[in-house]
Amino acid sequence: MRVLVIGSGAREHALLLALRNDPKVDHLVIAPGNAGTTAVAEQRDVDITSGPAVTALAREVGADLVVIGPEVPLVLGVADAVRAAGIACFGPSKDAARIEGSKAFAKDVMAAAGVRTARSEIVDSPADLDAALSRFGPDAGEAAWVVKDDGLAAGKGVVVTPDRAAARAHAAGLLEAGHPVLLESFLDGPELSLFCIVDGDTVVPLLPAQDFKRVGDGDTGPNTGGMGAYAPLPWLSREAAAGIVTDVVAPVAAELVRRGSRFAGLLYAGLAMTSSGPAVVEFNCRFGDPETQAVLALLESPLGQLLHAAATGGLDKFGALRWRDGAAVTVVLAAENYPGRPRVGDVIVGAEGDQVLHAGTTHRDDGAVVSCGGRVLSVVGTGDDLTAARAAAYRTIGSIRLPGSHFRTDIGLAAAENKIRI
């Protein structure tokens, strides 16, 4: 099987490594890729937002399966173009990808499916903002205001703050840019990510994971695209995870089918395990980054065959997934000033090996690997438990040199110390 992966981040690097372990995958192509993926797959260039361009490349390389990593091409309908050409594609249609592309659409689907989520309100006029803010946050007896961009924001369109002025400033900035604002009630309790391979009504869950959005230790500083993750979750029982599939993901998948927006791909549920039970924070339409890096490090089932089954209507016959014992931890190495405008162009030393997944990297003309983005690398450690996996990840990241770079030192620490409670 020849597989074409679309994307250029650490998530796609992790997908390539897992696909390489599938005995039925004999050729890998990635477009556009990065400096690290050149060691794993044939590298091509493509406009990932163009359905015709991706389709043409898939034909050129003889792809039996196209796997679309990022959300933007999915929301723009690139998967539809690939499927229309008769090529199997793992990734939802443009219509189904609205579950991530529009938070208002996602809220409507969840309401129809009877899935618990935060109370919310869309604000599309500055004149309505102050009155709406008064119905949320500390003004309404909640711990904080939750202000979101209604569209795609790469994980950085969210502000959670007890400061009304900060909440208002973020919302006003979004409205000024022409983006509707979503205000939500605050959900207490630890958060988790559950990825599910979905084909219509068939839902196959992967291991639950937890990611870390804020830039600094102790969940301080602004939101990012994600600074690390770990899997599995020692504080979440198998019964609780199964309940999330039954009560949250399956009803949403069924509701999308009922609406004629059948989902085929990776449905990602971000949830808070609140004092009143699980509640959805958001749905995404693709593998999450950095959780993917930790989850796939523990997968034993053949990923290429799994994704191909979901893309061709055979997921219900695939069977139970197999997982390695132990745990995996991902730590993100970020460029100086990230999540602000990152410093780029610096030489990276020590970023070789399968445990180092590249994202914001490229090759300079002289062959050196240099930084070209905010989240530069993801380092993955595995071990018999979270403590061992953390040690492995931090041992590797400590050997990498990138001027001005930074990373969190507490990824998975609270869980390893049994400090997380539902």
Side-chain angles (χ1 to χ4, degrees):
M1 178 164 48
R2 299 173 67 88
V3 182
L4 168 62
V5 175
I6 300 298
S8 60
R11 165 186 51 208
E12 287 76 35
H13 196 166
L15 285 166
L16 287 174
L17 292 178
L19 288 164
R20 185 181 63 181
N21 292 332
D22 187 328
K24 290 196 175 179
V25 174
D26 53 24
H27 191 74
L28 288 168
V29 182
I30 185 165
N34 56 51
T37 58
T38 56
V40 189
E42 177 187 348
Q43 205 112 330
R44 294 295 192 98
D45 193 23
V46 75
D47 177 0
I48 68 170
T49 66
S50 168
V54 172
T55 300
L57 177 60
R59 283 177 169 149
E60 182 182 341
V61 301
D64 301 297
L65 174 67
V66 176
V67 179
I68 299 177
E71 63 272 24
V72 171
L74 293 169
V75 169
L76 292 176
V78 171
D80 302 82
V82 174
R83 275 191 287 269
I87 302 168
C89 183
F90 183 80
S93 66
K94 178 179 181 179
D95 199 37
R98 288 184 294 162
I99 198 75
E100 178 170 1
S102 168
K103 294 178 179 65
F105 174 78
K107 291 287 186 182
D108 189 57
V109 169
M110 284 186 274
V115 169
R116 185 167 175 265
T117 185
R119 176 175 61 89
S120 65
E121 184 175 333
I122 292 286
V123 181
D124 57 12
S125 168
D128 300 330
L129 178 57
D130 287 310
L133 283 169
S134 297
R135 293 188 282 272
F136 292 85
D139 286 3
E142 300 170 355
W145 279 276
V146 180
V147 184
K148 298 182 177 182
D149 189 330
D150 182 52
L152 297 177
K156 292 180 282 187
V158 182
V159 163
V160 180
T161 177
D163 183 341
R164 182 184 174 110
R168 191 187 189 286
H170 182 62
L174 291 173
L175 290 169
E176 186 177 346
H179 296 210
V181 170
L182 183 78
L183 298 180
E184 286 189 336
S185 57
F186 179 80
L187 298 174
D188 61 347
E191 294 189 8
L192 66 94
S193 303
L194 182 63
F195 299 166
C196 293
I197 308 294
V198 173
D199 179 22
D201 288 322
T202 303
V203 177
V204 176
L206 306 186
L207 288 179
Q210 186 178 57
D211 77 330
F212 294 74
K213 288 296 186 188
R214 293 190 182 270
V215 71
D217 284 0
D219 292 326
T220 57
N223 270 356
T224 70
M227 293 299 294
Y230 67 94
L233 308 182
W235 47 269
L236 186 76
S237 68
R238 290 184 180 181
E239 292 76 16
I244 292 170
V245 176
T246 301
D247 300 334
V248 176
V249 183
V252 165
E255 174 62 18
L256 290 171
V257 171
R258 190 191 68 78
R259 293 177 177 224
S261 303
R262 182 177 180 278
F263 194 100
L266 194 290
L267 189 56
Y268 163 167
L271 305 108
M273 299 301 290
T274 76
S275 52
S276 302
V280 174
V281 176
E282 63 179 354
F283 272 104
N284 291 331
C285 65
R286 39 71 196 183
F287 280 100
D289 182 345
E291 301 99 318
T292 298
Q293 293 90 295
V295 170
L296 291 186
L298 299 172
L299 180 67
E300 282 193 338
S301 295
L303 182 64
Q305 295 170 59
L306 173 63
L307 303 188
H308 189 269
T312 56
L315 184 61
D316 58 341
K317 303 177 185 65
F318 189 82
L321 300 186
R322 303 188 309 278
W323 298 95
R324 298 181 182 89
D325 293 333
V329 171
T330 300
V331 182
V332 171
L333 183 73
E336 183 178 342
N337 199 43
Y338 178 80
R341 185 174 182 178
R343 169 175 163 175
V344 297
D346 289 305
V347 174
I348 306 166
V349 178
E352 300 80 25
D354 286 351
Q355 72 274 29
V356 181
L357 306 177
H358 288 232
T361 67
T362 189
H363 280 113
R364 208 165 57 184
D365 289 344
D366 63 2
V369 176
V370 298
S371 60
C372 66
R375 291 190 296 169
V376 182
L377 304 167
S378 285
V379 174
V380 180
T382 57
D384 292 339
D385 56 23
L386 269 177
T387 299
R390 276 176 41 81
Y394 282 110
R395 186 165 52 248
T396 300
I397 206 167
S399 68
I400 298 171
R401 297 291 174 264
L402 172 62
S405 61
H406 59 96
F407 58 88
R408 283 185 60 160
T409 66
D410 61 348
I411 304 300
L413 179 60
E417 295 178 343
N418 295 314
K419 292 181 177 178
I420 298 181
R421 298 286 185 270
I422 297 177

